[in-house]
Amino acid sequence: MKRYVILISGRGSNMQSLLDTRLPGTCAAVISNRPDAAGLAWAAARGVPTAVVDHKTFATREAFDNELAAEIERRGADLVLLAGFMRVLTEAFVRRFEGRLVNIHPSLLPAFPGLHTHEAALQAGVRVHGCTVHFVTPSLDCGPIIVQAVVPVLTGDTAHTLAARVLAQEHLVYPQAARGILAGRCRLEAGRVIWTSDATSAEAVLRVPEDK
Ligand code: GAR
């Protein structure tokens, strides 16, 4: 069984969706850079090991990333899932976990990297929005795309209503991507995401919610 860790900074709803799914692997730990992250208590209550590497106690980004990497390696993780982990990681950290470091971002990358993606989508007037699960590269919110989900932008949407529609899809596509990687059906090869042929392409990379 492969081992994975989930990194969070806050409420951890994506972490919950990953842990609620029967993934073909063992969660070695949920790790947070914030001792008060609400998701830590949720994980601990379910018997999942938790750890805190508090970024405020490190003088430099490099020192924090070194300790975070050491904690991940102590847990014997094959895969690192960033789930609302709101720290910019150094290039050295990203290279150390290349091909094993995955993030979810609440936009259809490469559109709207960074924060406040739903406000940016409304401001831009796009008619579709969504979320992206991707392998992490040193640039912020960038990297080979594993799977995306698309939602419509509706008349009268606010950042709040749009965020909720996207989040519901995040909770579906992140477990889908994690399952593919842990089961060996999806991997990073020479900077490209390869899904094996036993996954149909639509199932592998795109989720479009049906009309109700
Ligand atoms: C999620 O919407 C996730 O996509 C986003 O933070 C939220 C965390 O929510 N991540 C990013 O913006 C990363 N750039 P959660 O703690 O409930 O999973």
Side-chain angles (χ1 to χ4, degrees), residues 8-17 39 82-87 103-107 113-118 131-132 134 140-141 163 166-167 170-171 174:
I8 64 168
S9 297
R11 84 191 147 177
S13 72
N14 276 291
M15 170 207 73
Q16 292 181 26
S17 75
L82 306 178
F85 186 72
M86 306 308 266
R87 294 287 300 169
N103 182 45
I104 186 155
H105 182 74
S107 77
L115 298 173
H116 311 300
T117 56
H118 310 302
C131 57
T132 303
H134 63 98
L140 182 68
D141 296 326
V166 171
L167 191 65
E170 293 186 42
H171 295 164
Y174 210 179

PDB file of all heavy atoms in Angstrom, residues 8-17 39 82-87 103-107 113-118 131-132 134 140-141 163 166-167 170-171 174, ligand 1:
ATOM      1  N   ILE A   8      -2.507  20.762   5.080  1.00  0.00           N
ATOM      2  CA  ILE A   8      -3.616  21.726   5.170  1.00  0.00           C
ATOM      3  C   ILE A   8      -3.167  22.986   5.918  1.00  0.00           C
ATOM      4  O   ILE A   8      -2.159  22.964   6.630  1.00  0.00           O
ATOM      5  CB  ILE A   8      -4.848  21.124   5.897  1.00  0.00           C
ATOM      6  CG1 ILE A   8      -4.513  20.798   7.375  1.00  0.00           C
ATOM      7  CG2 ILE A   8      -5.363  19.887   5.174  1.00  0.00           C
ATOM      8  CD1 ILE A   8      -5.731  20.471   8.217  1.00  0.00           C
ATOM      9  N   SER A   9      -3.968  24.048   5.742  1.00  0.00           N
ATOM     10  CA  SER A   9      -3.742  25.258   6.532  1.00  0.00           C
ATOM     11  C   SER A   9      -5.004  25.707   7.257  1.00  0.00           C
ATOM     12  O   SER A   9      -4.936  26.619   8.083  1.00  0.00           O
ATOM     13  CB  SER A   9      -3.278  26.419   5.642  1.00  0.00           C
ATOM     14  OG  SER A   9      -2.044  26.132   5.044  1.00  0.00           O
ATOM     15  N   GLY A  10      -6.153  25.109   6.924  1.00  0.00           N
ATOM     16  CA  GLY A  10      -7.394  25.656   7.471  1.00  0.00           C
ATOM     17  C   GLY A  10      -8.456  24.617   7.727  1.00  0.00           C
ATOM     18  O   GLY A  10      -8.200  23.587   8.332  1.00  0.00           O
ATOM     19  N   ARG A  11      -9.653  24.877   7.155  1.00  0.00           N
ATOM     20  CA  ARG A  11     -10.807  24.039   7.530  1.00  0.00           C
ATOM     21  C   ARG A  11     -10.667  22.597   7.054  1.00  0.00           C
ATOM     22  O   ARG A  11     -11.205  21.674   7.660  1.00  0.00           O
ATOM     23  CB  ARG A  11     -12.093  24.686   7.016  1.00  0.00           C
ATOM     24  CG  ARG A  11     -12.418  24.380   5.599  1.00  0.00           C
ATOM     25  CD  ARG A  11     -13.528  25.189   4.991  1.00  0.00           C
ATOM     26  NE  ARG A  11     -13.162  25.345   3.582  1.00  0.00           N
ATOM     27  CZ  ARG A  11     -13.868  25.928   2.674  1.00  0.00           C
ATOM     28  NH1 ARG A  11     -15.013  26.474   3.000  1.00  0.00           N
ATOM     29  NH2 ARG A  11     -13.455  25.994   1.434  1.00  0.00           N
ATOM     30  N   GLY A  12     -10.021  22.384   5.925  1.00  0.00           N
ATOM     31  CA  GLY A  12      -9.729  21.016   5.511  1.00  0.00           C
ATOM     32  C   GLY A  12     -10.883  20.260   4.893  1.00  0.00           C
ATOM     33  O   GLY A  12     -10.961  19.038   5.021  1.00  0.00           O
ATOM     34  N   SER A  13     -11.762  20.946   4.149  1.00  0.00           N
ATOM     35  CA  SER A  13     -12.868  20.187   3.542  1.00  0.00           C
ATOM     36  C   SER A  13     -12.358  19.266   2.429  1.00  0.00           C
ATOM     37  O   SER A  13     -12.888  18.166   2.234  1.00  0.00           O
ATOM     38  CB  SER A  13     -13.971  21.123   3.042  1.00  0.00           C
ATOM     39  OG  SER A  13     -13.555  21.826   1.901  1.00  0.00           O
ATOM     40  N   ASN A  14     -11.329  19.682   1.700  1.00  0.00           N
ATOM     41  CA  ASN A  14     -10.756  18.773   0.693  1.00  0.00           C
ATOM     42  C   ASN A  14     -10.071  17.582   1.357  1.00  0.00           C
ATOM     43  O   ASN A  14     -10.156  16.458   0.860  1.00  0.00           O
ATOM     44  CB  ASN A  14      -9.783  19.528  -0.216  1.00  0.00           C
ATOM     45  CG  ASN A  14     -10.494  20.231  -1.347  1.00  0.00           C
ATOM     46  OD1 ASN A  14     -11.014  19.584  -2.250  1.00  0.00           O
ATOM     47  ND2 ASN A  14     -10.566  21.550  -1.282  1.00  0.00           N
ATOM     48  N   MET A  15      -9.408  17.834   2.467  1.00  0.00           N
ATOM     49  CA  MET A  15      -8.825  16.732   3.245  1.00  0.00           C
ATOM     50  C   MET A  15      -9.909  15.733   3.637  1.00  0.00           C
ATOM     51  O   MET A  15      -9.732  14.514   3.528  1.00  0.00           O
ATOM     52  CB  MET A  15      -8.151  17.303   4.503  1.00  0.00           C
ATOM     53  CG  MET A  15      -7.715  16.262   5.504  1.00  0.00           C
ATOM     54  SD  MET A  15      -7.689  16.925   7.183  1.00  0.00           S
ATOM     55  CE  MET A  15      -9.441  17.052   7.539  1.00  0.00           C
ATOM     56  N   GLN A  16     -11.058  16.261   4.083  1.00  0.00           N
ATOM     57  CA  GLN A  16     -12.160  15.368   4.488  1.00  0.00           C
ATOM     58  C   GLN A  16     -12.629  14.526   3.314  1.00  0.00           C
ATOM     59  O   GLN A  16     -12.883  13.328   3.462  1.00  0.00           O
ATOM     60  CB  GLN A  16     -13.328  16.185   5.043  1.00  0.00           C
ATOM     61  CG  GLN A  16     -13.014  16.847   6.357  1.00  0.00           C
ATOM     62  CD  GLN A  16     -14.200  17.639   6.906  1.00  0.00           C
ATOM     63  OE1 GLN A  16     -15.349  17.364   6.612  1.00  0.00           O
ATOM     64  NE2 GLN A  16     -13.913  18.641   7.716  1.00  0.00           N
ATOM     65  N   SER A  17     -12.739  15.150   2.144  1.00  0.00           N
ATOM     66  CA  SER A  17     -13.221  14.375   0.985  1.00  0.00           C
ATOM     67  C   SER A  17     -12.209  13.294   0.624  1.00  0.00           C
ATOM     68  O   SER A  17     -12.593  12.191   0.217  1.00  0.00           O
ATOM     69  CB  SER A  17     -13.519  15.294  -0.204  1.00  0.00           C
ATOM     70  OG  SER A  17     -12.336  15.735  -0.806  1.00  0.00           O
ATOM     71  N   GLY A  39      -9.069  21.576  10.453  1.00  0.00           N
ATOM     72  CA  GLY A  39      -9.013  20.226   9.898  1.00  0.00           C
ATOM     73  C   GLY A  39      -8.218  19.250  10.756  1.00  0.00           C
ATOM     74  O   GLY A  39      -8.439  18.034  10.685  1.00  0.00           O
ATOM     75  N   LEU A  82      -1.460  18.554  -1.365  1.00  0.00           N
ATOM     76  CA  LEU A  82      -1.707  19.878  -0.795  1.00  0.00           C
ATOM     77  C   LEU A  82      -3.204  20.144  -0.892  1.00  0.00           C
ATOM     78  O   LEU A  82      -3.774  20.126  -1.983  1.00  0.00           O
ATOM     79  CB  LEU A  82      -0.927  20.948  -1.570  1.00  0.00           C
ATOM     80  CG  LEU A  82       0.581  20.735  -1.735  1.00  0.00           C
ATOM     81  CD1 LEU A  82       1.180  21.868  -2.571  1.00  0.00           C
ATOM     82  CD2 LEU A  82       1.269  20.655  -0.385  1.00  0.00           C
ATOM     83  N   ALA A  83      -3.839  20.384   0.244  1.00  0.00           N
ATOM     84  CA  ALA A  83      -5.296  20.558   0.265  1.00  0.00           C
ATOM     85  C   ALA A  83      -5.615  21.837   1.045  1.00  0.00           C
ATOM     86  O   ALA A  83      -5.848  21.809   2.245  1.00  0.00           O
ATOM     87  CB  ALA A  83      -5.961  19.337   0.910  1.00  0.00           C
ATOM     88  N   GLY A  84      -5.549  22.962   0.320  1.00  0.00           N
ATOM     89  CA  GLY A  84      -5.726  24.237   1.008  1.00  0.00           C
ATOM     90  C   GLY A  84      -4.521  24.558   1.872  1.00  0.00           C
ATOM     91  O   GLY A  84      -4.644  25.135   2.942  1.00  0.00           O
ATOM     92  N   PHE A  85      -3.339  24.189   1.374  1.00  0.00           N
ATOM     93  CA  PHE A  85      -2.086  24.491   2.085  1.00  0.00           C
ATOM     94  C   PHE A  85      -1.591  25.826   1.548  1.00  0.00           C
ATOM     95  O   PHE A  85      -1.167  25.918   0.391  1.00  0.00           O
ATOM     96  CB  PHE A  85      -1.060  23.382   1.848  1.00  0.00           C
ATOM     97  CG  PHE A  85       0.189  23.553   2.654  1.00  0.00           C
ATOM     98  CD1 PHE A  85       0.183  23.345   4.023  1.00  0.00           C
ATOM     99  CD2 PHE A  85       1.387  23.923   2.046  1.00  0.00           C
ATOM    100  CE1 PHE A  85       1.343  23.496   4.783  1.00  0.00           C
ATOM    101  CE2 PHE A  85       2.544  24.080   2.799  1.00  0.00           C
ATOM    102  CZ  PHE A  85       2.516  23.865   4.160  1.00  0.00           C
ATOM    103  N   MET A  86      -1.701  26.872   2.360  1.00  0.00           N
ATOM    104  CA  MET A  86      -1.551  28.226   1.853  1.00  0.00           C
ATOM    105  C   MET A  86      -0.156  28.801   2.128  1.00  0.00           C
ATOM    106  O   MET A  86      -0.019  29.914   2.641  1.00  0.00           O
ATOM    107  CB  MET A  86      -2.647  29.127   2.435  1.00  0.00           C
ATOM    108  CG  MET A  86      -4.050  28.598   2.207  1.00  0.00           C
ATOM    109  SD  MET A  86      -4.414  28.183   0.490  1.00  0.00           S
ATOM    110  CE  MET A  86      -5.160  29.704  -0.051  1.00  0.00           C
ATOM    111  N   ARG A  87       0.874  28.033   1.786  1.00  0.00           N
ATOM    112  CA  ARG A  87       2.250  28.516   1.888  1.00  0.00           C
ATOM    113  C   ARG A  87       2.921  28.339   0.538  1.00  0.00           C
ATOM    114  O   ARG A  87       2.738  27.302  -0.115  1.00  0.00           O
ATOM    115  CB  ARG A  87       3.062  27.710   2.909  1.00  0.00           C
ATOM    116  CG  ARG A  87       2.618  27.832   4.329  1.00  0.00           C
ATOM    117  CD  ARG A  87       2.960  29.154   4.957  1.00  0.00           C
ATOM    118  NE  ARG A  87       4.384  29.441   4.997  1.00  0.00           N
ATOM    119  CZ  ARG A  87       4.868  30.642   5.311  1.00  0.00           C
ATOM    120  NH1 ARG A  87       4.049  31.649   5.576  1.00  0.00           N
ATOM    121  NH2 ARG A  87       6.167  30.845   5.355  1.00  0.00           N
ATOM    122  N   ASN A 103      -1.444  19.442  -6.030  1.00  0.00           N
ATOM    123  CA  ASN A 103      -2.202  20.558  -5.433  1.00  0.00           C
ATOM    124  C   ASN A 103      -3.576  20.647  -6.070  1.00  0.00           C
ATOM    125  O   ASN A 103      -3.771  20.240  -7.211  1.00  0.00           O
ATOM    126  CB  ASN A 103      -1.442  21.870  -5.685  1.00  0.00           C
ATOM    127  CG  ASN A 103      -2.129  23.074  -5.058  1.00  0.00           C
ATOM    128  OD1 ASN A 103      -2.569  23.020  -3.908  1.00  0.00           O
ATOM    129  ND2 ASN A 103      -2.237  24.159  -5.805  1.00  0.00           N
ATOM    130  N   ILE A 104      -4.526  21.197  -5.297  1.00  0.00           N
ATOM    131  CA  ILE A 104      -5.821  21.561  -5.896  1.00  0.00           C
ATOM    132  C   ILE A 104      -5.961  23.063  -5.822  1.00  0.00           C
ATOM    133  O   ILE A 104      -5.619  23.693  -4.811  1.00  0.00           O
ATOM    134  CB  ILE A 104      -7.013  20.847  -5.227  1.00  0.00           C
ATOM    135  CG1 ILE A 104      -8.302  21.171  -6.007  1.00  0.00           C
ATOM    136  CG2 ILE A 104      -7.149  21.194  -3.745  1.00  0.00           C
ATOM    137  CD1 ILE A 104      -9.389  20.145  -5.859  1.00  0.00           C
ATOM    138  N   HIS A 105      -6.444  23.634  -6.942  1.00  0.00           N
ATOM    139  CA  HIS A 105      -6.574  25.094  -7.019  1.00  0.00           C
ATOM    140  C   HIS A 105      -7.979  25.438  -7.528  1.00  0.00           C
ATOM    141  O   HIS A 105      -8.468  24.810  -8.476  1.00  0.00           O
ATOM    142  CB  HIS A 105      -5.512  25.657  -7.970  1.00  0.00           C
ATOM    143  CG  HIS A 105      -5.563  27.154  -8.055  1.00  0.00           C
ATOM    144  ND1 HIS A 105      -5.097  27.969  -7.034  1.00  0.00           N
ATOM    145  CD2 HIS A 105      -6.057  27.970  -9.003  1.00  0.00           C
ATOM    146  CE1 HIS A 105      -5.298  29.235  -7.374  1.00  0.00           C
ATOM    147  NE2 HIS A 105      -5.883  29.255  -8.564  1.00  0.00           N
ATOM    148  N   PRO A 106      -8.622  26.447  -6.923  1.00  0.00           N
ATOM    149  CA  PRO A 106     -10.008  26.739  -7.292  1.00  0.00           C
ATOM    150  C   PRO A 106     -10.157  27.648  -8.504  1.00  0.00           C
ATOM    151  O   PRO A 106     -10.790  28.695  -8.445  1.00  0.00           O
ATOM    152  CB  PRO A 106     -10.557  27.399  -6.016  1.00  0.00           C
ATOM    153  CG  PRO A 106      -9.372  28.067  -5.405  1.00  0.00           C
ATOM    154  CD  PRO A 106      -8.174  27.219  -5.753  1.00  0.00           C
ATOM    155  N   SER A 107      -9.581  27.216  -9.631  1.00  0.00           N
ATOM    156  CA  SER A 107      -9.845  27.865 -10.919  1.00  0.00           C
ATOM    157  C   SER A 107      -9.424  26.893 -12.009  1.00  0.00           C
ATOM    158  O   SER A 107      -8.762  25.888 -11.737  1.00  0.00           O
ATOM    159  CB  SER A 107      -9.056  29.179 -11.079  1.00  0.00           C
ATOM    160  OG  SER A 107      -7.706  28.908 -11.391  1.00  0.00           O
ATOM    161  N   PRO A 113      -4.468  32.182 -11.285  1.00  0.00           N
ATOM    162  CA  PRO A 113      -3.641  31.641 -10.194  1.00  0.00           C
ATOM    163  C   PRO A 113      -3.745  32.576  -8.974  1.00  0.00           C
ATOM    164  O   PRO A 113      -4.323  33.661  -9.071  1.00  0.00           O
ATOM    165  CB  PRO A 113      -2.229  31.680 -10.788  1.00  0.00           C
ATOM    166  CG  PRO A 113      -2.273  32.758 -11.816  1.00  0.00           C
ATOM    167  CD  PRO A 113      -3.681  32.793 -12.359  1.00  0.00           C
ATOM    168  N   GLY A 114      -3.207  32.163  -7.870  1.00  0.00           N
ATOM    169  CA  GLY A 114      -3.175  33.027  -6.684  1.00  0.00           C
ATOM    170  C   GLY A 114      -4.466  32.989  -5.897  1.00  0.00           C
ATOM    171  O   GLY A 114      -5.236  32.041  -5.972  1.00  0.00           O
ATOM    172  N   LEU A 115      -4.708  34.088  -5.171  1.00  0.00           N
ATOM    173  CA  LEU A 115      -5.860  34.157  -4.265  1.00  0.00           C
ATOM    174  C   LEU A 115      -7.062  34.783  -4.971  1.00  0.00           C
ATOM    175  O   LEU A 115      -6.950  35.311  -6.073  1.00  0.00           O
ATOM    176  CB  LEU A 115      -5.490  34.990  -3.028  1.00  0.00           C
ATOM    177  CG  LEU A 115      -4.348  34.424  -2.163  1.00  0.00           C
ATOM    178  CD1 LEU A 115      -3.972  35.424  -1.062  1.00  0.00           C
ATOM    179  CD2 LEU A 115      -4.735  33.079  -1.549  1.00  0.00           C
ATOM    180  N   HIS A 116      -8.225  34.739  -4.308  1.00  0.00           N
ATOM    181  CA  HIS A 116      -9.443  35.421  -4.754  1.00  0.00           C
ATOM    182  C   HIS A 116      -9.830  35.041  -6.189  1.00  0.00           C
ATOM    183  O   HIS A 116     -10.180  35.883  -7.012  1.00  0.00           O
ATOM    184  CB  HIS A 116      -9.284  36.944  -4.626  1.00  0.00           C
ATOM    185  CG  HIS A 116      -8.759  37.363  -3.285  1.00  0.00           C
ATOM    186  ND1 HIS A 116      -9.422  37.076  -2.110  1.00  0.00           N
ATOM    187  CD2 HIS A 116      -7.615  37.986  -2.923  1.00  0.00           C
ATOM    188  CE1 HIS A 116      -8.716  37.524  -1.086  1.00  0.00           C
ATOM    189  NE2 HIS A 116      -7.619  38.072  -1.544  1.00  0.00           N
ATOM    190  N   THR A 117      -9.786  33.750  -6.467  1.00  0.00           N
ATOM    191  CA  THR A 117     -10.034  33.281  -7.828  1.00  0.00           C
ATOM    192  C   THR A 117     -11.481  33.499  -8.267  1.00  0.00           C
ATOM    193  O   THR A 117     -11.747  33.752  -9.437  1.00  0.00           O
ATOM    194  CB  THR A 117      -9.700  31.785  -7.934  1.00  0.00           C
ATOM    195  OG1 THR A 117     -10.471  31.087  -6.950  1.00  0.00           O
ATOM    196  CG2 THR A 117      -8.230  31.520  -7.704  1.00  0.00           C
ATOM    197  N   HIS A 118     -12.422  33.375  -7.323  1.00  0.00           N
ATOM    198  CA  HIS A 118     -13.836  33.483  -7.707  1.00  0.00           C
ATOM    199  C   HIS A 118     -14.185  34.948  -8.021  1.00  0.00           C
ATOM    200  O   HIS A 118     -14.886  35.225  -8.992  1.00  0.00           O
ATOM    201  CB  HIS A 118     -14.722  32.904  -6.606  1.00  0.00           C
ATOM    202  CG  HIS A 118     -14.267  31.539  -6.179  1.00  0.00           C
ATOM    203  ND1 HIS A 118     -14.168  30.484  -7.069  1.00  0.00           N
ATOM    204  CD2 HIS A 118     -13.827  31.058  -4.987  1.00  0.00           C
ATOM    205  CE1 HIS A 118     -13.702  29.418  -6.432  1.00  0.00           C
ATOM    206  NE2 HIS A 118     -13.480  29.747  -5.178  1.00  0.00           N
ATOM    207  N   CYS A 131     -12.131  24.040 -11.190  1.00  0.00           N
ATOM    208  CA  CYS A 131     -10.982  23.753 -10.335  1.00  0.00           C
ATOM    209  C   CYS A 131     -10.032  22.814 -11.076  1.00  0.00           C
ATOM    210  O   CYS A 131     -10.412  22.164 -12.052  1.00  0.00           O
ATOM    211  CB  CYS A 131     -11.428  23.141  -9.016  1.00  0.00           C
ATOM    212  SG  CYS A 131     -12.389  21.632  -9.188  1.00  0.00           S
ATOM    213  N   THR A 132      -8.823  22.781 -10.571  1.00  0.00           N
ATOM    214  CA  THR A 132      -7.742  22.036 -11.235  1.00  0.00           C
ATOM    215  C   THR A 132      -6.932  21.274 -10.198  1.00  0.00           C
ATOM    216  O   THR A 132      -6.541  21.847  -9.178  1.00  0.00           O
ATOM    217  CB  THR A 132      -6.784  23.027 -11.956  1.00  0.00           C
ATOM    218  OG1 THR A 132      -7.527  23.819 -12.872  1.00  0.00           O
ATOM    219  CG2 THR A 132      -5.667  22.297 -12.681  1.00  0.00           C
ATOM    220  N   HIS A 134      -3.310  19.444 -10.019  1.00  0.00           N
ATOM    221  CA  HIS A 134      -2.100  19.441 -10.852  1.00  0.00           C
ATOM    222  C   HIS A 134      -0.874  19.032 -10.050  1.00  0.00           C
ATOM    223  O   HIS A 134      -0.831  19.204  -8.824  1.00  0.00           O
ATOM    224  CB  HIS A 134      -1.876  20.841 -11.451  1.00  0.00           C
ATOM    225  CG  HIS A 134      -1.624  21.920 -10.425  1.00  0.00           C
ATOM    226  ND1 HIS A 134      -0.359  22.351 -10.095  1.00  0.00           N
ATOM    227  CD2 HIS A 134      -2.471  22.627  -9.638  1.00  0.00           C
ATOM    228  CE1 HIS A 134      -0.450  23.288  -9.163  1.00  0.00           C
ATOM    229  NE2 HIS A 134      -1.705  23.482  -8.862  1.00  0.00           N
ATOM    230  N   LEU A 140       4.081  29.451  -8.809  1.00  0.00           N
ATOM    231  CA  LEU A 140       2.863  29.388  -7.992  1.00  0.00           C
ATOM    232  C   LEU A 140       1.667  28.925  -8.829  1.00  0.00           C
ATOM    233  O   LEU A 140       1.421  29.459  -9.911  1.00  0.00           O
ATOM    234  CB  LEU A 140       2.573  30.769  -7.400  1.00  0.00           C
ATOM    235  CG  LEU A 140       1.356  30.857  -6.476  1.00  0.00           C
ATOM    236  CD1 LEU A 140       1.600  30.095  -5.185  1.00  0.00           C
ATOM    237  CD2 LEU A 140       0.993  32.302  -6.196  1.00  0.00           C
ATOM    238  N   ASP A 141       0.899  27.967  -8.286  1.00  0.00           N
ATOM    239  CA  ASP A 141      -0.313  27.477  -8.940  1.00  0.00           C
ATOM    240  C   ASP A 141      -0.073  27.151 -10.411  1.00  0.00           C
ATOM    241  O   ASP A 141      -0.772  27.625 -11.305  1.00  0.00           O
ATOM    242  CB  ASP A 141      -1.461  28.492  -8.793  1.00  0.00           C
ATOM    243  CG  ASP A 141      -1.851  28.671  -7.344  1.00  0.00           C
ATOM    244  OD1 ASP A 141      -1.772  27.696  -6.580  1.00  0.00           O
ATOM    245  OD2 ASP A 141      -2.209  29.799  -6.969  1.00  0.00           O
ATOM    246  N   ALA A 163     -18.022  30.020  -5.343  1.00  0.00           N
ATOM    247  CA  ALA A 163     -17.056  29.221  -4.568  1.00  0.00           C
ATOM    248  C   ALA A 163     -17.695  27.914  -4.121  1.00  0.00           C
ATOM    249  O   ALA A 163     -17.065  26.850  -4.181  1.00  0.00           O
ATOM    250  CB  ALA A 163     -16.575  30.018  -3.357  1.00  0.00           C
ATOM    251  N   VAL A 166     -17.943  25.513  -7.051  1.00  0.00           N
ATOM    252  CA  VAL A 166     -16.616  24.956  -7.382  1.00  0.00           C
ATOM    253  C   VAL A 166     -16.170  23.961  -6.310  1.00  0.00           C
ATOM    254  O   VAL A 166     -15.663  22.875  -6.623  1.00  0.00           O
ATOM    255  CB  VAL A 166     -15.578  26.090  -7.542  1.00  0.00           C
ATOM    256  CG1 VAL A 166     -14.164  25.519  -7.668  1.00  0.00           C
ATOM    257  CG2 VAL A 166     -15.918  26.960  -8.748  1.00  0.00           C
ATOM    258  N   LEU A 167     -16.405  24.315  -5.047  1.00  0.00           N
ATOM    259  CA  LEU A 167     -15.923  23.449  -3.953  1.00  0.00           C
ATOM    260  C   LEU A 167     -16.558  22.059  -4.019  1.00  0.00           C
ATOM    261  O   LEU A 167     -15.893  21.051  -3.769  1.00  0.00           O
ATOM    262  CB  LEU A 167     -16.207  24.104  -2.588  1.00  0.00           C
ATOM    263  CG  LEU A 167     -15.535  23.431  -1.387  1.00  0.00           C
ATOM    264  CD1 LEU A 167     -14.003  23.539  -1.464  1.00  0.00           C
ATOM    265  CD2 LEU A 167     -16.033  24.044  -0.070  1.00  0.00           C
ATOM    266  N   GLU A 170     -14.496  20.269  -6.347  1.00  0.00           N
ATOM    267  CA  GLU A 170     -13.176  19.959  -5.783  1.00  0.00           C
ATOM    268  C   GLU A 170     -13.241  18.648  -5.013  1.00  0.00           C
ATOM    269  O   GLU A 170     -12.336  17.810  -5.082  1.00  0.00           O
ATOM    270  CB  GLU A 170     -12.720  21.078  -4.841  1.00  0.00           C
ATOM    271  CG  GLU A 170     -12.435  22.400  -5.534  1.00  0.00           C
ATOM    272  CD  GLU A 170     -11.835  23.435  -4.585  1.00  0.00           C
ATOM    273  OE1 GLU A 170     -10.963  23.087  -3.774  1.00  0.00           O
ATOM    274  OE2 GLU A 170     -12.259  24.611  -4.649  1.00  0.00           O
ATOM    275  N   HIS A 171     -14.354  18.492  -4.268  1.00  0.00           N
ATOM    276  CA  HIS A 171     -14.483  17.305  -3.417  1.00  0.00           C
ATOM    277  C   HIS A 171     -14.644  16.019  -4.226  1.00  0.00           C
ATOM    278  O   HIS A 171     -14.503  14.930  -3.681  1.00  0.00           O
ATOM    279  CB  HIS A 171     -15.667  17.492  -2.452  1.00  0.00           C
ATOM    280  CG  HIS A 171     -15.436  18.611  -1.498  1.00  0.00           C
ATOM    281  ND1 HIS A 171     -16.438  19.192  -0.765  1.00  0.00           N
ATOM    282  CD2 HIS A 171     -14.297  19.263  -1.155  1.00  0.00           C
ATOM    283  CE1 HIS A 171     -15.927  20.156  -0.018  1.00  0.00           C
ATOM    284  NE2 HIS A 171     -14.634  20.218  -0.231  1.00  0.00           N
ATOM    285  N   TYR A 174     -10.579  15.791  -6.543  1.00  0.00           N
ATOM    286  CA  TYR A 174      -9.309  15.526  -5.850  1.00  0.00           C
ATOM    287  C   TYR A 174      -9.185  14.035  -5.495  1.00  0.00           C
ATOM    288  O   TYR A 174      -8.153  13.413  -5.792  1.00  0.00           O
ATOM    289  CB  TYR A 174      -9.151  16.426  -4.621  1.00  0.00           C
ATOM    290  CG  TYR A 174      -7.694  16.757  -4.299  1.00  0.00           C
ATOM    291  CD1 TYR A 174      -7.354  17.580  -3.241  1.00  0.00           C
ATOM    292  CD2 TYR A 174      -6.657  16.247  -5.073  1.00  0.00           C
ATOM    293  CE1 TYR A 174      -6.030  17.885  -2.957  1.00  0.00           C
ATOM    294  CE2 TYR A 174      -5.323  16.542  -4.801  1.00  0.00           C
ATOM    295  CZ  TYR A 174      -5.018  17.366  -3.734  1.00  0.00           C
ATOM    296  OH  TYR A 174      -3.701  17.662  -3.461  1.00  0.00           O
TER     297      TYR A 174
HETATM  298  C1  GAR B   1      -9.911  25.169  -1.531  1.00  0.00           C
HETATM  299  O1  GAR B   1     -10.868  25.853  -2.292  1.00  0.00           O
HETATM  300  C2  GAR B   1      -8.630  24.982  -2.326  1.00  0.00           C
HETATM  301  O2  GAR B   1      -8.861  24.743  -3.678  1.00  0.00           O
HETATM  302  C3  GAR B   1      -7.948  26.305  -2.103  1.00  0.00           C
HETATM  303  O3  GAR B   1      -8.175  26.600  -0.756  1.00  0.00           O
HETATM  304  C4  GAR B   1      -9.430  26.034  -0.358  1.00  0.00           C
HETATM  305  C5  GAR B   1      -9.191  25.219   0.888  1.00  0.00           C
HETATM  306  O4  GAR B   1     -10.400  24.753   1.411  1.00  0.00           O
HETATM  307  N1  GAR B   1      -6.559  26.235  -2.421  1.00  0.00           N
HETATM  308  C6  GAR B   1      -5.884  27.239  -2.975  1.00  0.00           C
HETATM  309  O5  GAR B   1      -6.354  28.329  -3.189  1.00  0.00           O
HETATM  310  C7  GAR B   1      -4.426  26.923  -3.310  1.00  0.00           C
HETATM  311  N2  GAR B   1      -3.887  27.913  -4.170  1.00  0.00           N
HETATM  312  P1  GAR B   1     -10.421  23.497   2.371  1.00  0.00           P
HETATM  313  O6  GAR B   1      -9.440  23.793   3.515  1.00  0.00           O
HETATM  314  O7  GAR B   1     -11.833  23.433   2.871  1.00  0.00           O
HETATM  315  O8  GAR B   1     -10.014  22.296   1.588  1.00  0.00           O
END
